[in-house]
Amino acid sequence: FEKLSSPIQFSLLVCGVFFFFGIHNYLQEAIMSIPGFRFGVMLGYLEVLGVTVCSFLERRCIAQETQRIAPLSAYPLLTFCLLSSSSLSNLALNYINFPTKVVFRSCKLIPTMIVASIVHKKIFSSVEYFCAFCICFGLVLFAAADWTLTPSFHPIGLAFVSLSVCADAVLPNAQERLFRLGSSRLEVTFYTNIFTLIVMTFTTYLSGDLIGMIEFARTSAKLCNYIAIYTFVAYIAISVHMNVVKRFGGVSAVLVATGRKGMTLVLSFLLFPKSFSWFYVMGAIMVLGSLLLSSLVKIRDK
């Protein structure tokens, strides 16, 4: 791969991002579409399980890391944020449709600006305030479309996915502190996910979701196949995306990520037919366009 020219490397990585995230998102919606499946929180559990196993194998067998730099006391906050982000976003699928979840999950800019304004007294540029306003308006359009077209829509779904975004906005800041201590990406990834997996195993067992999904899977060979692939494909997709960041920089990564989210929305409507509204189109353009503009402005300023 290293011997290939940069354009070919970039093309292959972009195809990998679209392909593996496409499989991941397809399986996520396909699992939720199986009649009788109401264990949205278990999708988060499967993601954490896959990342835990794969990061452990990569850390030991490829990177050959054996040392832990950060103290264990540094991980409870990361565990709480990852647990909240993963569980709430997938639990929301019980109440809202997949495209709405994708759009709301894209909006870390708003909680990030709120936290920075309150904690750090930071003043943002007019472009960032404009982007935040457009994102809010785009989210309103998506919620309005769901409200009128989706029979299963419930406002609690928006509350769950919004809280997951807030947790997701805190997570990278907490991880950055560990990176400054000298911890590697694999170390932080593995220990954050292993503790989250332990907590999620305990909580999903008590709630009955873990046993319920296992019993449900025993009656559905299709679900078992979906779970087996879904558990590990997310880690591959994330790894490919991180290679885009590492090799070609932030601008390229932002463009690829925005294109991937747009592809996810289009595929969702094509592969899983659902009621359509132009509010979805306008909302997606405003949210994804504003996120792209904000990210490019930040990268330019840096």
Side-chain angles (χ1 to χ4, degrees), residues 108-125 128-129 132 173:
K108 297 180 186 178
L109 176 64
I110 295 175
T112 300
M113 289 179 65
I114 293 174
V115 171
S117 298
I118 296 175
V119 177
H120 303 294
K121 309 299 182 183
K122 184 176 180 180
I123 304 298
F124 294 93
S125 67
E128 289 174 303
Y129 282 118
N173 294 310

Side-chain angles (χ1 to χ4, degrees), residues 103 138 141-142 145 265-266 269 276-289:
V103 170
L141 291 177
F142 248 84
L265 296 175
V266 173
F269 282 99
F276 177 79
S277 169
W278 283 103
F279 281 176
Y280 285 134
V281 177
M282 293 185 290
I285 291 175
M286 294 194 71
V287 171
L288 298 182

Side-chain angles (χ1 to χ4, degrees), residues 208-262:
D209 288 315
L210 179 59
I211 302 300
M213 191 194 72
I214 293 175
E215 292 179 349
F216 189 87
R218 292 173 62 184
T219 66
S220 174
K222 182 199 294 187
L223 178 60
C224 292
N225 293 331
Y226 284 167
I227 288 175
I229 301 172
Y230 179 83
T231 302
F232 297 103
V233 76
Y235 189 73
I236 301 175
I238 293 170
S239 298
V240 174
H241 177 75
M242 292 182 68
N243 264 292
V244 174
V245 178
K246 180 180 179 181
R247 295 172 184 270
F248 299 100
V251 174
S252 298
V254 168
L255 293 172
V256 172
T258 303
R260 175 184 65 79
K261 292 169 185 174

